[in-house]
Amino acid sequence: EPEVTQTPSHQVTQMGQEVILRCVPISNHLYFYWYRQILGQKVEFLVSFYNNEISEKSEIFDDQFSVERPDGSNFTLKIRSTKLEDSAMYFCASSGDRGHQETQYFGPGTRLLVL
Amino acid sequence: SQELEQSPQSLIVQEGKNLTINCTSSKTLYGLYWYKQKYGEGLIFLMMLQKGGEEKSHEKITAKLDEKKQQSSLHITASQPSHAGIYLCGAAPRGSTLGRLYFGRGTQLTVWP
């Protein structure tokens, strides 16, 4: 069964460093998302991406964040200068259609720890 | 934004018992999703409901969306240890075409043998 994959599973970085989180969405999907979950808190939407551009971003997704689909399979989230409060589990998701009829399938997550 | 309240926050049941988890929305639900998450892992899709009164089942898990479309319930029959985990409800805002989901805080389910 097709699934969303994410690498790395864990990432430890120093404050101020750049990190890139990678995702391989389900191959025939067209819509891609990043969410994050700070320990003990809700899963929060960061950004959605379609047709090589951002569809929507939340207030969390500031200038320190960027997303890219560098090739036909990968979808990346870059944090330019990490802060302590960026420590969280980051989930990538993909869906076949932007409408509500389609399900978002989530990857296993990347646990980011900023020291 | 759309607020989702889940109850209870946690649930401990003995294997074989039935249980219900509720999700109440501050706004009309256009699409309601149930996911299961094991601690520290990804979200596994369970079911999606769209129409008021809709009910779906998968194995021993049944989800319903009430007629007024502001509440959903997830019912597990004859619970097993494999049902243990965190159950999350997620909702797409009415009128939104952008696919953003809002999530509740989750209900942590423990099933003891």
Side-chain angles (χ1 to χ4, degrees), chain A residues 33 35 37 39-43 45 48 55-56 58-59 89 91 98 100-108 111, chain B residues 3-4 30 33 35 37 39-43 45 48 50 88 92-93 95-101 103-105:
Chain A
Y33 313 85
Y35 291 81
Q37 185 178 34
L39 189 63
Q41 298 189 21
K42 295 182 182 183
V43 175
F45 170 81
S48 58
S55 300
E56 184 186 10
S58 71
E59 57 280 0
M89 182 77 101
F91 295 109
R98 197 166 57 177
H100 302 299
Q101 294 79 4
E102 292 292 332
T103 297
Q104 292 181 27
Y105 291 92
F106 284 72
R111 185 173 295 282
Chain B
E3 294 293 324
L4 296 175
Y30 189 75
Y33 300 79
Y35 288 88
Q37 183 182 28
Y39 182 77
E41 298 183 11
L43 280 64
F45 171 71
M48 183 189 71
Q50 283 183 275
L88 299 171
S96 170
T97 59
L98 298 176
R100 172 180 187 158
L101 295 182
F103 285 92
R105 287 191 176 276

Side-chain angles (χ1 to χ4, degrees), chain A residues 53-67:
Chain A
E53 61 182 24
I54 291 173
S55 300
E56 184 186 10
K57 58 183 180 180
S58 71
E59 57 280 0
I60 302 168
F61 194 88
D62 61 22
D63 292 343
Q64 292 301 311
F65 292 88
S66 63
V67 289

Side-chain angles (χ1 to χ4, degrees), chain B residues 34 47 49 54-56 61-65 72-74:
Chain B
W34 283 100
M47 276 173 279
L49 305 164
E54 187 174 12
E55 179 174 323
K56 287 187 177 179
I61 301 176
T62 300
K64 300 179 185 179
L65 184 61
S72 178
S73 60
L74 185 83

